[in-house]
Amino acid sequence: MGAEELGSTARAAGREAEESATLDHAVRVGLVSYGVVHLLLAWLMLQLALGTRGADVSTSGALHELAGDAFGRVLLVVLAGGFAALVLWQLLDALVGHRQEHGMRRWFRRAVSLGRAVVYSALAVSAAKIAVGAGSAGGGTRPDTITARLMEVPYGRLLVAATARGRWASCWSGCCSCGPR
């Protein structure tokens, strides 16, 4: 099998996977998972801004927040699976997607898809590790985080609350419009 034939076979398989209803549903679960993490981050930031929480306000902190009970651990497994579906979707886009684009624009979009795949894979691994209890325990707010630095400046709590509100709003507006093609 020559390189050209192999490439053609790979493109056909990618297109078939991209049009799969199963992948479509899995990606939707992944997008909801991404939204859940952003909502948790917004909630944690709001609590920190109000002074009722001193926890780790990060993606890891949001995932650890879920790990508190049995249902949360099951939800973490679902989130990990959803993120894994997003990884597959973005890898397909990076390899054979963006066919409507041409030249450098296509390569740029494919590079962005590859970057998203890296981010989603980090989220999938984090969620899976925390679900099985292998993730770090989190801990208090680290003084070197951006949120901690913001809390030290005048009106910092207001800035953190505004950021939380912005994340909340972007999740609701973004989750409904960025689904699979």
Side-chain angles (χ1 to χ4, degrees):
M1 179 178 284
E4 189 174 309
E5 188 178 335
L6 184 62
S8 177
T9 304
R11 279 191 293 279
R15 287 185 184 123
E16 184 179 321
E18 191 176 40
E19 295 170 3
S20 163
T22 303
L23 180 61
D24 183 61
H25 294 305
V27 166
R28 290 176 192 276
V29 169
L31 292 171
V32 170
S33 300
Y34 197 61
V36 166
V37 170
H38 279 83
L39 288 173
L40 282 169
L41 278 170
W43 177 248
L44 293 174
M45 280 192 239
L46 186 61
Q47 287 181 327
L48 183 65
L50 296 174
T52 60
R53 180 171 204 89
D56 184 13
V57 180
S58 64
T59 303
S60 177
L63 293 173
H64 276 96
E65 185 76 15
L66 286 176
D69 60 13
F71 176 73
R73 289 195 185 276
V74 170
L75 185 56
L76 280 169
V77 171
V78 171
L79 291 177
F83 290 136
L86 288 176
V87 170
L88 177 61
W89 173 45
Q90 290 302 305
L91 285 176
L92 284 170
D93 261 2
L95 295 173
V96 295
H98 306 290
R99 290 181 301 273
Q100 71 278 8
E101 305 294 338
H102 300 285
M104 288 303 294
R105 186 175 179 101
R106 174 186 290 173
W107 290 108
F108 175 76
R109 298 244 179 178
R110 286 182 173 182
V112 168
S113 292
L114 185 61
R116 286 180 183 153
V118 170
V119 169
Y120 294 145
S121 64
L123 288 169
V125 168
S126 293
K129 281 184 174 181
I130 293 168
V132 299
S136 64
T141 303
R142 297 181 319 246
D144 61 336
T145 64
I146 293 172
T147 306
R149 289 182 191 163
L150 275 175
M151 295 297 284
E152 294 172 0
V153 300
Y155 302 106
R157 288 181 182 222
L158 183 62
L159 289 171
V160 171
T163 303
R165 198 263 178 229
R167 275 201 179 248
W168 189 288
S170 71
C171 175
W172 284 109
S173 65
C175 286
C176 298
S177 64
C178 64
R181 294 183 237 345

